[in-house]
Amino acid sequence: MGPTGGAARPGRFFGVYLLYCLNPRHRGRVYVGFTVNPARRVQQHNGGRRKGGAWRTSGRGPWEMVLIVHGFPSAVAALRFEWAWQHPQASRRLAHVGPRLRGEATFAFHLRVLAHMLRAPPWARLPLTLRWLRADFRQDLCPPPPPHVPLAFGPPPPRASAPRRRAADTESELEHDAETRCTLCARVLQDEEDPLCCPHPGCSLRAHVICLAEEFLQEEPGQLLPLEGQCPGCKNSLLWGDLIWLCRMGTEEEEEDSELEEEHWTDMLEI
């Protein structure tokens, strides 16, 4: 298996969190948001609008970030998850989830929605991690998360940085791999293609994304996105999400860690 939910992974962090209000006047209120930096984001919420917090949390703190779902492949994927969690009644993916029940606490309702989201497409097949930042708030979800979604506790681990390669090393590698072929289809891998490589020592697997996805999906012909599969080379079990993360190591340019206001995305994120 690849990295678990408690291991640092390369690439940017995209998370969707649940805040809980500890203010006696507003105790029990919750807020769902998106972040690339959980520690900084909760400080912004508690600092109010002038510190970058949302207007719905401003002046009502203190707020505690008690839960975060992370492992999204992009900011847009996380923002769509955030929007659906905030508006389950408007999401066509959550039509089967009933409205908040009489006497049901807001916190409990949001956990109920989350439980169904983790089991609904397209989120059910993403390599997500469910992380409780406050263990004393933990509650079992019903239905439980899919088997490939790990349960973690405590703050997210520091992001692992991909080692920077020198230009000379990259050019040498490209020359050496000029005629490298896909292990599965035997076609030459083009320069613009990022092949998936098995992380296990000694395994020479290099394959097109589509070729390996089709190989993994032989046991699930009705699906579009694999969860895991057996490496055709070394026969070890591989998580699809880990392969994609490893493929991206060193290929993404650094972006500024600025928060994205959910109000600007409402029209494009309906799902």
Side-chain angles (χ1 to χ4, degrees):
M1 285 288 187
T4 63
R9 307 172 87 176
R12 298 194 66 203
F13 180 96
F14 302 114
V16 180
Y17 59 85
L18 184 65
L19 290 184
Y20 186 89
C21 185
L22 300 179
N23 187 326
R25 293 181 59 189
H26 308 285
R27 192 176 184 86
R29 289 195 181 190
V30 300
Y31 177 86
V32 172
F34 159 82
T35 187
V36 296
N37 188 324
R40 183 187 66 192
R41 191 60 181 145
V42 72
Q43 291 179 351
Q44 290 175 324
H45 280 296
N46 284 320
R49 288 281 286 174
R50 293 185 179 181
K51 297 294 184 180
W55 69 267
R56 280 175 287 180
T57 61
S58 183
R60 295 183 174 90
W63 294 88
E64 188 77 21
M65 191 178 290
V66 299
L67 171 68
I68 190 165
V69 179
H70 59 92
F72 295 95
S74 67
V76 171
L79 285 162
R80 284 176 170 167
F81 189 93
E82 175 207 31
W83 185 91
W85 197 2
Q86 291 173 338
H87 310 91
Q89 72 286 348
S91 172
R92 65 179 184 273
R93 303 288 187 180
L94 301 174
H96 62 289
V97 180
R100 181 180 169 191
L101 303 174
R102 178 175 298 181
E104 184 178 26
T106 306
F107 182 69
F109 171 65
H110 278 74
L111 293 186
R112 177 160 64 89
V113 173
L114 174 62
H116 286 281
M117 290 183 68
L118 293 175
R119 287 280 182 175
W123 311 295
R125 303 187 71 82
L126 294 181
L128 302 176
T129 293
L130 176 63
R131 181 177 295 275
W132 287 97
L133 304 176
R134 282 278 300 262
D136 53 326
F137 277 80
R138 177 196 170 182
Q139 296 183 23
D140 292 333
L141 300 188
C142 184
H148 70 279
V149 176
L151 186 65
F153 298 89
R159 186 180 68 198
S161 299
R164 294 186 178 275
R165 294 182 293 180
R166 295 178 302 172
D169 293 339
T170 303
E171 292 174 2
S172 176
E173 182 179 314
L174 290 174
E175 291 176 3
H176 178 72
D177 292 340
E179 293 298 318
T180 298
R181 296 179 180 272
C182 172
T183 303
L184 298 174
C185 73
R187 287 190 294 109
V188 174
L189 292 163
Q190 302 299 320
D191 291 345
E192 66 273 11
E193 295 176 313
D194 291 320
L196 295 184
C197 305
C198 179
H200 290 93
C203 184
S204 59
L205 174 75
R206 301 192 77 182
H208 294 106
V209 174
I210 293 178
C211 291
L212 193 56
E214 291 177 346
E215 176 76 14
F216 281 10
L217 287 173
Q218 288 183 11
E219 300 298 324
E220 298 180 286
Q223 298 293 340
L224 296 177
L225 181 67
L227 289 178
E228 61 182 313
Q230 187 180 66
C231 172
C234 65
K235 307 305 180 184
N236 282 300
S237 180
L238 300 172
L239 288 175
W240 183 257
D242 289 341
L243 287 174
I244 299 300
W245 276 96
L246 292 170
C247 175
R248 290 181 175 180
M249 285 185 67
T251 63
E252 292 184 344
E253 296 181 356
E254 286 295 322
E255 303 175 37
E256 292 184 2
D257 283 345
S258 59
E259 299 298 334
L260 302 175
E261 292 293 336
E262 64 270 15
E263 289 83 1
H264 297 168
W265 293 77
T266 300
D267 293 337
M268 67 171 290
L269 295 178
E270 185 172 353
I271 187 170

